[in-house]
Amino acid sequence: MNPGNHTELITDTADFSPPNFTKQNEEESAVPKVLWKWQSVTWTWVTTLQLTMSMLGIVGNLTVILVLFKRRHTCRSTDAMIAALAVADFLTSVFMVPLPTELWVPETWLGNVYCKVIYTSMPMWISVDASIFILALIPIERYIAIAHPLHFKRLVTRQRVGKAVAMTWLAAFLANVFLFFVASAKDDKCTEVFQSRIVQIISGIMLYLVQFLIPAFIMLVGQAVTALVLHRQSRRRLGESSNFNNSNPSVKYLVARKNALKLLFLVVAVFLISWTPPQTGYLLYNLGILSESYLYSPLSSALVTLAFCNSCANPVIYTIRNPEFRKAIGELFKSTTSTSGKMALFGGKEIDDSVLTISDVPV
């Protein structure tokens, strides 16, 4: 049998196929593939805790935003910084809400956008970094207020604070823009692939420095230097005064600023406790010390959830440590309020500007 007859035989055999065989294949090929497939949220203890903290962060930070917005006409530079921190923490809490898990992602432009933005949680991490950077600005503002009180209003204006906050958001975006280049839709799922092992290591070290180590260093150094300046002021002012009772303006001045420093120390301590474990774990992952399975493991999720404590802790700190803030919350739900123009939201009693201003309390 020659090749020609063999070909003809195969062709003839194909003619005996069921009449609807070819038509059925065409219809099946015309049916589109499943482009998206999702798995509903699995309510483990981690996701339940994450949702709980997200709700607390949304309610708490929204309350701070509303309180400051209601007093916006008497707000000063520090209030603007506190409001910016609350906005960043509020957005972090919103993006922290657990979402369904993708099981099938198409290799289309929309699938790639999803992988680069939603899968990587890029909006959330931008908000997180903005919160961290704003938190690092507060010790600098505190140092200027305590070390150079006569020049504070001239140096730290609301306009300059606004520009500084805008720069923190820009820096937060730049710190996370690499996610556009490492995440994509491949083989019907989202993947994160670095160009090389060296690039991943360098990226991991840079992220650790920018997102954690440098801000933590600024916070700690700013806290220490400010405490030293305040200690020297205390010795000088109390040494010059023979009246040590609470009615002495110098005593009021020092007590208020010491309370402000204690509040700042508490905020910084919560930041370090919340962020040191997850940032260290992610650095070890990028260095290859922890395996790839760590990135989305229960341990990693638990550490990231711990980091989210920072976003919902500040409103709790305000409420516990500051009677005036508790009073402001009560006034928020009243139709009318009689707030004095010189009543500092975070200052307690009404004190003359020459003694104590609202800028004497950080967050």
Side-chain angles (χ1 to χ4, degrees):
M1 183 179 298
N2 57 52
N5 292 336
H6 180 66
T7 304
E8 183 180 357
L9 180 61
I10 294 177
T11 304
D12 293 341
T13 304
D15 293 337
F16 289 97
S17 300
N20 296 329
F21 181 78
T22 304
K23 183 179 180 180
Q24 182 179 356
N25 282 348
E26 292 177 354
E27 292 177 352
E28 290 179 354
S29 62
V31 176
K33 294 175 60 179
V34 177
L35 297 182
W36 298 90
K37 189 175 181 181
W38 308 91
Q39 179 182 357
S40 58
V41 177
T42 303
W43 292 106
T44 63
W45 70 270
V46 174
T47 52
T48 303
L49 180 60
Q50 183 178 338
L51 179 62
T52 302
M53 295 177 60
S54 176
M55 294 298 102
L56 290 175
I58 291 174
V59 174
N61 288 289
L62 183 60
T63 302
V64 174
I65 294 170
L66 293 177
V67 167
L68 292 174
F69 179 78
K70 191 172 183 179
R71 301 195 177 198
R72 63 189 181 278
H73 298 297
T74 57
C75 284
R76 303 184 185 180
S77 58
T78 301
D79 297 299
M81 195 171 296
I82 295 170
L85 180 63
V87 169
D89 287 336
F90 173 79
L91 292 176
T92 299
S93 301
V94 170
F95 295 134
M96 192 170 62
V97 175
L99 298 176
T101 304
E102 71 287 341
L103 297 178
W104 192 298
V105 180
E107 297 182 31
T108 61
W109 70 269
L110 186 59
N112 277 285
V113 170
Y114 171 85
C115 293
K116 295 175 183 295
V117 177
I118 307 301
Y119 173 77
T120 60
S121 301
M122 185 177 182
M124 184 194 71
W125 290 115
I126 291 176
S127 301
V128 167
D129 287 351
S131 174
I132 293 174
F133 296 159
I134 294 171
L135 197 58
L137 288 178
I138 292 176
I140 300 175
E141 187 261 0
R142 289 297 78 220
Y143 170 77
I144 298 175
I146 293 178
H148 306 283
L150 299 179
H151 305 287
F152 177 80
K153 291 184 179 180
R154 179 177 57 85
L155 296 175
V156 184
T157 63
R158 294 184 64 179
Q159 291 75 15
R160 289 180 177 177
V161 169
K163 292 179 181 179
V165 170
M167 291 299 295
T168 60
W169 279 97
L170 177 60
F173 173 79
L174 295 177
N176 292 275
V177 73
F178 76 98
L179 295 173
F180 275 101
F181 303 99
V182 301
S184 62
K186 186 177 181 181
D187 297 331
D188 299 317
K189 63 180 181 180
C190 293
T191 58
E192 293 184 23
V193 180
F194 289 86
Q195 293 181 351
S196 66
R197 181 64 182 156
I198 298 298
V199 172
Q200 182 178 1
I201 293 175
I202 295 176
S203 299
I205 295 174
M206 291 299 297
L207 285 176
Y208 186 77
L209 291 173
V210 173
Q211 294 181 340
F212 177 70
L213 197 60
I214 294 178
F217 177 79
I218 293 174
M219 294 178 199
L220 292 174
V221 171
Q223 178 84 4
V225 173
T226 304
L228 180 61
V229 171
L230 186 59
H231 176 69
R232 291 176 177 175
Q233 289 181 355
S234 300
R235 295 181 60 182
R236 183 176 66 253
R237 286 176 177 267
L238 295 180
E240 294 173 354
S241 176
S242 59
N243 184 10
F244 295 95
N245 58 53
N246 291 333
S247 63
N248 188 339
S250 296
V251 175
K252 287 183 178 181
Y253 178 92
L254 295 173
V255 169
R257 294 200 169 189
K258 284 183 178 179
N259 290 335
L261 210 57
K262 290 179 181 179
L263 186 59
L264 176 58
F265 175 79
L266 183 58
V267 173
V268 172
V270 170
F271 167 78
L272 293 176
I273 294 173
S274 302
W275 278 104
T276 300
Q279 288 286 3
T280 304
Y282 190 60
L283 174 65
L284 296 177
Y285 159 76
N286 284 311
L287 294 178
I289 299 176
L290 296 178
S291 63
E292 294 184 0
S293 60
Y294 164 79
L295 192 57
Y296 295 101
S297 65
L299 175 60
S300 176
S301 300
L303 293 181
V304 172
T305 304
L306 172 65
F308 291 150
C309 290
N310 188 66
S311 295
C312 60
N314 287 339
V316 178
I317 295 174
Y318 305 153
T319 304
I320 294 175
R321 297 281 301 180
N322 199 309
E324 186 62 27
F325 184 75
R326 292 196 296 269
K327 180 180 177 181
I329 293 177
E331 293 177 350
L332 181 65
F333 300 100
K334 295 180 181 178
S335 57
T336 58
T337 177
S338 57
T339 303
S340 172
K342 288 187 178 181
M343 177 70 76
L345 176 59
F346 296 96
K349 297 182 179 180
E350 182 179 349
I351 302 173
D352 188 80
D353 288 341
S354 63
V355 179
L356 173 67
T357 66
I358 193 172
S359 62
D360 289 321
V361 182
V363 284

